[in-house]
Amino acid sequence: MKRLARLVAVSNRVGPVRGAAAAGGLAVGLVDALREHGGLWFGWSGRTAAAGRARLHTEDAGGLTMATLDLTQHELDGYYNGFCNNCLWPLLHFRIDLTRFERPEFESYRSVNCRFAQALAKLLKPDDAIWVHDFHLMTLAEELRRRGARQRIGFFLHTPFPPTEILTTLPVHEALTRALFDFDLLGFQTGEDLERFCNHIVRAYRGRARGDTVSAFGREARVGAFPIGIDVDQVHRYAFTAPGSREFARMRRVLRGRDQFIGVDRLDYSKGLLRRMDAFGRYLEKYPRAHGKVILLQVAPVSRGSIESYRNFRQELDGEAARVNGRFSRFDWTPVHYLNRALPRRTLAGLYRASRVGIVTPMRDGMNLVAMEYVAAQDPADPGVLVLSRFAGAAQYLPDALLVNPYDGEESAEAMHLAREMRIQERRRRHEALMRRISLHDVVRWRREFIAALRDAPAWRKVVRKPR
Ligand code: ADP
């Protein structure tokens, strides 16, 4: 196999690469790949600094280099809180109603992408392969090309790609989409996201989509679906060795024979938490025999707390959880246990293992790794059941979960009932099938396939651009 000279990963947040926190999410997929290819990881430092003092920090992190840039508070407000989280995030999750477009925030987004490119360009070698992550950095390749970068640059979108009718409500949709064509490879989570992207190119800009190539704006790019996955063995190991197994035993003692449903999500309106509470209330209403015997543990660490739509959402969720508890609690039983905290990954694995049902019901989600973690943490001899939203990317790869429409409270409530009552043979059959899928589509395959496709993408050629 032809080796890449060096892999450069770029993402808004970088690391951590050491310790328990490093074992999850994007870090899992990237750190190993970066170490294999002697790589560089570039992104925001997570810190703010005064305008003249925003610096580039570089650090050797055992086989890979981390290079991070400070942002000013003004940039953080405009680029990150503003355009990324108040505009692009809801838009990409089909929530036009929550999308707030402010032109100065888009300008801030562009200027942060420009500053990233300026700093990164100085660190690049001619034969590097550059892998850019997520919606924060859609204009990065354009800025790098402007500075003469000719390396292969790939982009992976971790969120869904919305239908063209939704995307074109964004006043700057064309500028953003055009900027994507300065990447050589565009990767999406699922075939459906890829299809919506191709459709957008054809319908909004009269571009062309043939096989794995799209063309528009006088440029061509390769495209593909690369479903992200988890490190299956690691989650299983966490669930079955201390402290995960201690947490499991402790939880079992606390439950005293009750069945636990578990939800683990960032506190985000896309995760379907309000509807989930409502569905759990409906379940308790319809099945009084479950009273005193079932609890819903919802772990939901606060996320993006400085944004108004998130604060409002949190208040509503607090209210909904209190409503269910107020209505159904008894002096010796509280149906909803609700934590606003992040937990160590090993603890989380023990909690998954102790839960009879995993409830993963986002209204829209790029993939959803919690669904896979829940499956991987189960005891194959006595596995729990996964209730999964049809609108999570994961549903396309996990047809053996109990799939639900989260907009249908009755259906979700019924799925909770079916999951709890499911016989052991069927639980085992479904779990085996789910394990096969998540083992096949694991995180190693994800990164290998993306990097291979990036390596195979035609090298960037200078083209004569039409004037803007
Ligand atoms: P998203 O990237 O939108 O947050 P995913 O389900 O794809 O959603 O990934 C979430 C990741 O964050 C998972 O690896 C999950 O284990 C982790 N996570 C979610 N909630 C918590 C929590 N309360 N404590 C620790 N980790 C969490």
Side-chain angles (χ1 to χ4, degrees), residues 46-335:
R47 289 189 293 267
T48 54
R53 300 195 164 187
R55 289 194 312 118
L56 179 74
H57 312 264
T58 52
E59 179 196 345
D60 180 40
L64 67 103
T65 306
M66 315 265 282
T68 57
L69 199 62
D70 300 331
L71 295 180
T72 66
Q73 187 60 46
H74 185 68
E75 286 172 332
L76 189 67
D77 289 342
Y79 148 79
Y80 185 68
N81 293 328
F83 193 65
C84 287
N85 290 336
N86 236 344
C87 182
L88 281 181
W89 176 268
L91 188 80
L92 293 167
H93 289 82
F94 302 21
R95 292 294 302 268
I96 312 181
D97 57 324
L98 296 177
T99 302
R100 303 278 172 271
F101 172 73
E102 300 288 346
R103 204 164 292 273
E105 294 178 347
F106 176 58
E107 293 311 327
S108 174
Y109 176 90
R110 290 193 99 129
S111 83
V112 168
N113 272 254
C114 170
R115 218 152 73 64
F116 267 42
Q118 270 167 352
L120 178 60
K122 293 185 192 135
L123 305 174
L124 291 178
K125 299 176 185 171
D127 55 353
D128 282 343
I130 305 165
W131 185 1
V132 178
H133 290 265
D134 227 358
F135 61 95
H136 312 89
L137 299 168
M138 287 163 80
T139 58
L140 188 71
E142 184 178 60
E143 298 292 349
L144 284 169
R145 301 292 186 211
R146 271 197 194 127
R147 283 161 186 77
R150 296 291 176 268
Q151 290 87 346
R152 285 191 172 80
I153 314 180
F155 175 79
F156 185 79
L157 183 66
H158 290 258
T159 69
F161 192 88
T164 187
E165 292 82 353
I166 288 184
L167 195 67
T168 50
T169 62
L170 181 68
V172 294
H173 66 88
E174 187 167 338
L176 272 187
T177 314
R178 180 193 291 267
L180 289 178
F181 279 80
D182 277 317
F183 290 97
D184 302 295
L185 172 66
L186 301 169
F188 300 88
Q189 295 275 23
T190 69
E192 284 188 4
D193 296 300
L194 174 57
E195 217 173 280
R196 284 191 289 262
F197 175 73
C198 293
N199 184 47
H200 172 61
I201 297 308
V202 172
R203 289 195 30 212
Y205 317 112
R206 299 207 194 154
R208 280 193 357 184
R210 292 250 167 90
D212 61 0
T213 303
V214 291
S215 49
F217 312 112
R219 292 271 296 126
E220 234 176 50
R222 284 273 173 91
V223 290
F226 303 89
I228 197 167
I230 61 165
D231 182 339
V232 179
D233 290 341
Q234 186 187 65
V235 175
H236 189 78
R237 219 171 35 248
Y238 281 176
F240 285 81
T241 53
S245 58
R246 262 204 310 276
E247 190 66 26
F248 165 78
R250 196 170 69 87
M251 198 75 236
R252 275 295 169 90
R253 270 197 310 280
V254 172
L255 285 168
R256 282 181 288 128
R258 287 175 175 149
D259 288 334
Q260 178 163 277
F261 296 179
I262 192 167
V264 175
D265 313 75
R266 273 184 311 103
L267 201 72
D268 191 295
Y269 47 76
S270 66
K271 300 292 182 184
L273 297 171
L274 278 172
R275 304 260 187 176
R276 187 179 308 169
M277 287 295 163
D278 173 70
F280 186 58
R282 287 170 191 259
Y283 165 72
L284 293 177
E285 187 175 341
K286 186 159 174 202
Y287 297 100
R289 275 189 309 155
H291 293 193
K293 302 201 178 73
V294 172
I295 69 159
L296 169 63
L297 172 62
Q298 178 63 56
V299 187
V302 176
S303 158
R304 304 172 192 171
S306 59
I307 296 175
E308 191 188 352
S309 51
Y310 283 78
R311 284 199 304 273
N312 295 343
F313 168 69
R314 183 178 177 186
Q315 270 180 6
E316 270 185 86
L317 184 62
D318 288 352
E320 190 64 25
R323 195 182 63 77
V324 174
N325 276 341
R327 175 151 179 226
F328 295 101
S329 287
R330 300 191 312 218
F331 72 90
D332 59 348
W333 171 63
T334 308

Side-chain angles (χ1 to χ4, degrees), residues 264 266 271 299 301 341-343 345 348 368-370 373:
V264 175
R266 273 184 311 103
K271 300 292 182 184
V299 187
R341 252 182 303 125
L343 299 174
R345 303 184 57 74
L348 212 51
N368 197 293
L369 299 181
V370 168
E373 291 167 0

Side-chain angles (χ1 to χ4, degrees), residues 408-426:
D408 184 343
E410 298 286 320
E411 190 189 55
S412 302
E414 202 50 35
M416 290 175 184
H417 172 67
L418 287 175
R420 179 166 177 244
E421 300 292 317
M422 193 178 283
R423 289 175 187 268
I424 181 83
Q425 291 85 351
E426 188 174 353

